[in-house]
Amino acid sequence: MNRVILMGRLTRDPEVRYSQGERSMAIARYTLAVDRRGRARNQDGDQGQTADFINIVAFDRAGEFAEKYFRQGMRVLVSGRIQTGSYTNREGQRVYTTEVIVDDQEFADSKNAGGGDSGGGYGYQPTSRPAPSSAIGDGFMNIPDGVEDEGLPFN
């Protein structure tokens, strides 16, 4: 089974390109800084690298979502699969790649969280997300006409 779940902060804004052809598709690439557990010290007693930098690729609607809402410093949760590959660069050397292909991605902080202690120093200043168009003043959505109250899971 090839399944990965990561939580980390974006090191930069996503880079988005659109495929060519009959149906254009968004392809978003970004890097997550994912903290390591049990931050080990090297033999000199110094803490070494305490995060791994994981390349993420989101296609189609997930790519459009990343382009629209994700910004440097945001903490996000990503699930997907690891994909490896290789190519030959201009110097004729073989380059191996490892990236996570997104199945699902979401915000890991509330929109009011400023990063605080776990901020990572990326300078993220949260912005409010747009409310759904059918939201009323208290933040709840209106129940559409024709929906029976008895079918709802609350009174």
Side-chain angles (χ1 to χ4, degrees):
M1 179 186 297
N2 182 354
R3 187 80 173 148
V4 63
I5 300 171
L6 299 168
M7 184 167 52
R9 293 197 181 271
L10 276 79
T11 61
R12 57 183 160 73
D13 290 354
E15 177 184 307
V16 181
R17 294 190 175 142
Y18 285 83
S19 65
Q20 302 296 315
E22 189 175 311
R23 182 178 168 271
S24 181
M25 176 178 23
I27 304 167
R29 294 181 179 275
Y30 56 91
T31 302
L32 281 187
V34 179
D35 285 334
R36 291 183 181 172
R37 283 202 163 168
R39 299 175 177 160
R41 296 182 182 276
N42 63 19
Q43 52 186 307
D44 296 331
D46 297 329
Q47 280 189 319
Q49 178 182 357
T50 60
D52 291 301
F53 296 87
I54 313 293
N55 294 321
I56 310 293
V57 181
F59 291 98
D60 208 13
R61 294 185 74 171
E64 292 170 4
F65 182 88
E67 177 181 36
K68 187 171 184 179
Y69 296 109
F70 286 0
R71 296 290 172 259
Q72 177 179 341
M74 285 181 146
R75 189 165 63 153
V76 298
L77 182 67
V78 172
S79 64
R81 63 183 168 84
I82 294 177
Q83 179 173 292
T84 60
S86 64
Y87 63 92
T88 304
N89 67 13
R90 291 180 180 153
E91 290 80 39
Q93 298 171 321
R94 194 76 166 161
V95 177
Y96 295 93
T97 62
T98 302
E99 51 199 12
V100 172
I101 306 301
V102 169
D103 288 332
D104 191 31
Q105 60 189 357
E106 59 189 73
F107 300 101
D109 283 329
S110 68
K111 67 180 180 180
N112 294 328
D117 185 40
S118 62
Y122 294 111
Y124 164 60
Q125 294 298 320
T127 58
S128 61
R129 284 186 266 162
S133 59
S134 60
I136 56 177
D138 60 3
F140 291 96
M141 297 196 58
N142 289 322
I143 299 172
D145 293 335
V147 173
E148 298 292 327
D149 288 341
E150 294 146 10
L152 297 175
F154 50 85
N155 292 327

